[in-house]
């Protein structure tokens, strides 16, 4: 199935020590997004999305930046269904990423 294909990402070798923590923090952010969404704490979710938007590119993950933008916008719109969809898609992306340090 094509949707389960690995997603190769090349990351600067200088970030190698930081990436495991960043990936853990991103997974934690997904959990927080879902929890705060369920509590209708949309300002918190908006902040979490904004943080993902700001950090993704700096760590070499432009897709995380894109997900952050979508999450931030959905939180502004108070759209719980979209937030759940984007959080799930981000989790699937993380499951499929294969990092190669260059």
């Amino acid at each position: 199935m094509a949707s389960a294909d690995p997603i190769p990402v090349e990351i600067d070798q200088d970030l190698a020590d930081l990436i495991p923590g960043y990936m853990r923090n991103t997974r934690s952010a997904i959990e927080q997004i879902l929890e705060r969404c369920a509590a209708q704490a949309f300002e918190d979710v908006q902040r979490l999305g904004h943080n993902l938007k700001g950090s993704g590119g700096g760590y070499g993950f432009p897709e995380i930046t894109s997900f952050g933008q979508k999450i931030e916008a959905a939180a502004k719109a108070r759209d719980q269904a979209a937030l759940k969809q984007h959080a799930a898609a981000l989790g699937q992306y993380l499951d499929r990423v294969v990092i190669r340090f260059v």
Side-chain angles (χ1 to χ4, degrees):
M1 160 172 22
S3 65
D5 290 343
I7 301 171
V9 177
E10 291 187 349
I11 304 291
D12 190 311
Q13 182 65 43
D14 292 342
L15 298 175
D17 291 343
L18 302 175
I19 294 302
Y22 180 71
M23 298 302 272
R24 279 191 305 274
N25 291 341
T26 303
R27 287 195 182 279
S28 176
I30 294 169
E31 293 173 16
Q32 292 174 49
I33 287 164
L34 293 172
E35 289 170 4
R36 303 311 298 152
C37 177
Q40 297 186 3
F42 295 107
E43 294 79 13
D44 292 347
V45 178
Q46 185 176 337
R47 179 182 44 78
L48 289 161
H50 183 81
N51 291 345
L52 289 170
K53 178 177 79 172
S55 67
Y59 283 94
F61 297 97
E63 283 294 318
I64 293 177
T65 292
S66 178
F67 282 114
Q69 290 171 329
K70 292 173 185 175
I71 289 165
E72 185 178 21
K76 283 181 185 177
R78 304 174 75 84
D79 186 341
Q80 286 182 307
L83 285 168
K84 290 176 187 176
Q85 178 184 8
H86 297 316
L90 175 55
Q92 292 167 359
Y93 169 79
L94 294 177
D95 289 343
R96 295 173 47 209
V97 162
V98 176
I99 299 168
R100 185 170 77 94
F101 294 103
V102 294

